[in-house]
Amino acid sequence: MGDSVYDIVSMRGLLMSTLWIEWPMVVVGLWYGQAYVMDNEHRYTLSSFPKNSLEIIPVDDVYEYLWESSFDIASETLKVDFLQQMQSGSLQAERYISFTMQDINYILKVTKMLEEMSKDQIQPDDLGDFIKARYLSYKEYTDFMLKRFSFKSEPNIEPTPEMLNYLSVYNELMKDPLYFAVGLLPCARLWTWLAKNLETPSNNAYYTWKKENMDGHPEKHYKDLLNKHLDTLEKVEKANATFRIQMQNEHDFFCSS
Ligand SMILES: *[C@@H]1O[C@H](CO)[C@@H](O)[C@H](O)[C@H]1NC(C)=O
């Protein structure tokens, strides 16, 4: 009996020192079977703690981490009927027109939200500058689209339930510009990625959609900002969840088109 108590104590000692040597950092959280380790400069997740506890995934680059964590939804989106038929050229024109009208409503509404937010004194300054720059960019694109389709004034378009849901999430995110930025990113990254990955030939009626969206560079605007400000585990988790919700909303938009 004395022996078994001794065994337990020495096992504990071994475990403690192993932990100390392997991870000279602080475990700050357990979440759905994953452990997170943080030090001042790095954010890590340990997958399936403790089973694969030596497999440390660095999340230094939160910008990439967000995309990779929801990449399954991007892949699913590429497969939806609307995009597959766009790629093959069999998509009925009416469906494309409806999609475009919903998109025009989206850019109108998101531009309005960005405009409203950019009137506030957003802190820190770089986040405020980001919101202002996104506002100007969205406004320029919206004006271009309205002109392209000969709208003299802003059209009043009835949103689909999917679009209504998507826009209501944006509305909620307005309370915190950092997460509004996170919420904008799925659209920016997904459209670029879809356009690059659709094998639409140049003589296809929907080639313009590919051509106009494939050269986006969302990293120019988002990467440094998000990597700088999403600097705690709590923020990474919240951003990760927000990003995924908006990726799902993008998916649902394409899926319902
Ligand atoms: C990020 O989201 C993915 C997909 O939902 C999840 O598997 C992962 O645990 C999340 N990571 C964090 C740090 O919240």
Side-chain angles (χ1 to χ4, degrees):
M1 195 163 173
D3 277 343
S4 50
V5 170
Y6 176 76
D7 281 345
I8 291 166
V9 172
S10 65
M11 270 295 286
R12 272 205 190 135
L14 182 66
L15 196 61
M16 295 294 284
S17 52
T18 307
L19 280 167
W20 182 248
I21 292 160
E22 297 286 354
W23 314 313
M25 300 162 247
V26 189
V27 175
V28 294
L30 276 164
W31 190 82
Y32 291 101
Q34 292 203 322
Y36 301 98
V37 176
M38 317 271 299
D39 63 16
N40 287 338
E41 277 147 39
H42 307 91
R43 297 171 284 262
Y44 299 96
T45 69
L46 300 178
S47 68
S48 315
F49 179 84
K51 204 174 79 221
N52 304 321
S53 51
L54 294 179
E55 191 187 313
I56 297 180
I57 308 160
V59 277
D60 270 348
D61 192 348
V62 180
Y63 173 84
E64 276 308 316
Y65 180 77
L66 296 177
W67 171 252
E68 280 159 21
S69 294
S70 289
F71 186 72
D72 55 320
I73 304 179
S75 304
E76 283 307 310
T77 307
L78 189 59
K79 291 186 212 150
V80 305
D81 181 67
F82 177 80
L83 286 169
Q84 286 300 309
Q85 289 213 37
M86 238 170 96
Q87 178 176 259
S88 68
S90 60
L91 187 76
Q92 292 304 294
E94 290 73 18
R95 274 177 79 182
Y96 188 76
I97 295 170
S98 298
F99 164 82
T100 305
M101 292 305 117
Q102 291 299 315
D103 186 44
I104 287 175
N105 185 47
Y106 169 93
I107 54 177
L108 276 168
K109 293 293 176 340
V110 173
T111 303
K112 283 239 158 29
M113 292 184 221
L114 286 165
E115 182 180 21
E116 204 178 315
M117 288 166 79
S118 61
K119 285 178 190 153
D120 295 333
Q121 285 297 325
I122 296 174
Q123 287 299 322
D125 285 342
D126 56 354
L127 184 58
D129 293 345
F130 168 89
I131 294 291
K132 281 198 191 88
R134 288 302 87 214
Y135 163 59
L136 293 175
S137 164
Y138 263 74
K139 177 150 182 23
E140 192 184 346
Y141 182 63
T142 305
D143 290 346
F144 164 77
M145 289 294 269
L146 294 184
K147 201 163 176 227
R148 173 183 262 181
F149 295 108
S150 310
F151 285 110
K152 271 178 88 174
S153 58
E154 290 180 5
N156 194 1
I157 294 165
E158 179 78 32
T160 60
E162 291 77 10
M163 184 49 72
L164 207 57
N165 188 50
Y166 194 0
L167 292 171
S168 75
V169 176
Y170 272 122
N171 245 310
E172 277 296 304
L173 295 175
M174 285 177 78
K175 282 183 269 184
D176 193 333
L178 179 59
Y179 296 99
F180 196 93
V182 171
L184 278 171
L185 182 56
C187 173
R189 264 202 101 162
L190 183 67
W191 281 51
T192 305
W193 184 82
L194 290 171
K196 275 189 188 141
N197 284 280
L198 280 178
E199 285 158 20
T200 315
S202 57
N203 63 354
N204 176 313
Y206 304 102
Y207 183 69
T208 317
W209 190 85
K210 176 180 168 76
K211 195 171 173 355
E212 288 183 354
N213 289 290
M214 64 190 279
D215 297 324
H217 285 285
E219 72 280 359
K220 276 203 296 203
H221 310 293
Y222 293 83
K223 190 169 182 159
D224 291 348
L225 184 90
L226 296 186
N227 284 348
K228 182 175 165 202
H229 294 298
L230 297 171
D231 57 354
T232 67
L233 173 67
E234 208 186 341
K235 290 180 194 171
V236 172
E237 280 180 356
K238 186 173 172 189
N240 191 47
T242 304
F243 187 93
R244 194 169 179 84
I245 289 170
Q246 296 295 70
M247 274 288 269
Q248 187 64 48
N249 281 328
E250 277 291 327
H251 168 275
D252 295 351
F253 173 36
F254 283 106
C255 196
S256 61
S257 292

